Amino acid sequence: MAGTTIKMDDHYLSYRQSRICYHTTGSGNAVVLLHGFAEDSSIWDKQVAFLKNGFRLIVPDLPGSAHSDVISNPEPCIEEYAAIVMLVLEKEQIRSCVRIGHSLGGYITLAFAEKYPEMLTAYGLFHSTAYADDESKRTTRKKSIEFICRNGTEAFLRTSIPGLFFNQGNSTDVNTLIEKGSAILPDTLVQFYQAMLNRPDRTRVLENSSVPVLFIIGEHDMAVPFQHSLEQSHMPKSSHIHILRYSAHMGMLEEPDKSNKILANFLLNP
């Protein structure tokens, strides 16, 4: 991510008195790239640079991230984020697309697939899961909320982001994520966490999928356990399964060339 500057067109729409930003570039079949927790659209810069000449890319900033305002909602939910992405597609007059979601973006992708299946020709989970949080994960998220409320965004990211990388990752990538993420308000991170805590199990979405599903799995991912990823990857009727052997939870940064080729092959031949 560091050192990569991607020129994209910026667009805005209004939602519940908040301004939501998304970015577009390229031409061809529409592809939506959704970033994860404590990230913004720039997490996809290396993928955008690789794919922009073959596809019409739509890359939103989720509410509260980068140029998007946080939405005022005391009970946020994943389904609301999916509805916001639907508004983006409507504004762009897109009738069908491929969706790729990283982590939280994958949760939103599954909610979108459940509510708007006719809009998808294929979709992908990039280090993400259809399983609801188990009790251990719920406890961890609640402790993270408490830490964020006490110590703020930057302190939280300094403790959490290095563990998302295999062998603590490239220090430049880690520092860039911390720097960018530190601009996100604590209330936004808490809102994301509450939405993740409240999300249901969506394995049935995978099982009932009528379109191909891509799984990009980090072998060393602690946020989405490797075994869980393998289990769910066999649920859809048509699965494309790829394992990144030298990645944890940030494969688009840890193994960008391999990730780019996986995405391009899937988008060309779903």
Side-chain angles (χ1 to χ4, degrees):
M1 185 166 66
T4 303
T5 302
I6 302 298
K7 175 61 178 175
M8 303 183 75
D9 295 323
D10 299 337
H11 309 270
Y12 296 89
L13 60 81
S14 179
Y15 177 80
R16 293 177 60 135
Q17 300 182 323
S18 295
R19 191 175 72 159
I20 304 299
C21 180
Y22 64 96
H23 316 275
T24 63
T25 190
S27 61
N29 292 333
V31 179
V32 178
L33 302 174
L34 275 184
H35 67 80
F37 174 83
E39 302 166 2
D40 61 40
S41 56
S42 67
I43 198 73
W44 297 112
D45 278 356
K46 292 181 180 180
Q47 288 65 53
V48 169
F50 189 79
L51 298 171
K52 66 179 181 178
N53 293 327
F55 305 95
R56 180 183 180 186
L57 303 177
I58 300 96
V59 195
D61 288 317
L62 292 175
S65 302
H67 303 295
S68 289
D69 298 335
V70 65
I71 54 177
S72 178
N73 187 347
E75 297 182 358
C77 64
I78 297 296
E79 293 80 7
E80 185 168 24
Y81 299 137
I84 290 171
V85 178
M86 184 62 180
L87 292 177
V88 171
L89 297 180
E90 288 176 347
K91 184 175 179 183
E92 290 296 309
Q93 299 183 326
I94 293 171
R95 296 183 178 180
S96 64
C97 66
V98 178
R99 293 276 301 275
I100 306 294
H102 174 239
S103 195
L104 167 62
Y107 305 158
I108 299 168
T109 295
L110 287 165
F112 188 96
E114 182 177 56
K115 188 171 184 179
Y116 312 106
E118 72 283 355
M119 294 293 297
L120 294 174
T121 57
Y123 61 92
L125 302 183
F126 201 133
H127 306 321
S128 194
T129 179
Y131 294 137
D133 289 346
D134 59 21
E135 284 307 311
S136 175
K137 189 73 170 181
R138 291 180 64 82
T139 298
T140 298
R141 291 199 198 279
K142 290 175 181 178
K143 288 181 178 178
S144 295
I145 289 173
E146 293 173 0
F147 185 96
I148 292 166
C149 292
R150 287 197 311 268
N151 302 289
T153 298
E154 182 176 356
F156 171 71
L157 295 182
R158 289 195 179 280
T159 65
S160 61
I161 283 180
L164 299 177
F165 289 81
F166 180 43
N167 287 335
Q168 303 298 302
N170 180 293
S171 60
T172 301
D173 286 334
V174 170
N175 290 335
T176 300
L177 280 175
I178 293 171
E179 180 181 354
K180 282 180 171 287
S182 294
I184 300 174
L185 295 174
D187 286 350
T188 296
L189 296 186
V190 171
Q191 188 176 81
F192 285 149
Y193 264 136
Q194 289 173 338
M196 290 189 285
L197 280 165
N198 293 333
R199 79 187 194 283
D201 180 282
R202 284 199 164 94
T203 53
R204 186 161 295 183
V205 176
L206 293 179
E207 293 168 348
N208 295 335
S209 178
S210 61
V211 300
V213 183
L214 171 68
F215 296 88
I216 299 181
I217 302 167
E219 184 170 346
H220 307 278
D221 194 343
M222 301 300 291
V224 181
F226 184 65
Q227 188 59 40
H228 287 183
S229 294
L230 292 181
E231 290 170 2
Q232 67 180 346
S233 68
H234 296 284
M235 293 177 183
K237 296 179 180 66
S238 175
S239 292
H240 296 238
I241 306 166
H242 296 273
I243 298 172
L244 301 179
R245 298 293 183 184
Y246 304 100
S247 294
H249 196 64
M250 305 301 297
M252 72 283 289
L253 301 179
E254 297 178 277
E255 295 182 72
D257 292 341
K258 186 173 182 179
S259 296
N260 291 346
K261 291 176 183 176
I262 290 169
L263 288 171
N265 288 337
F266 179 71
L267 296 173
L268 289 169
N269 304 290

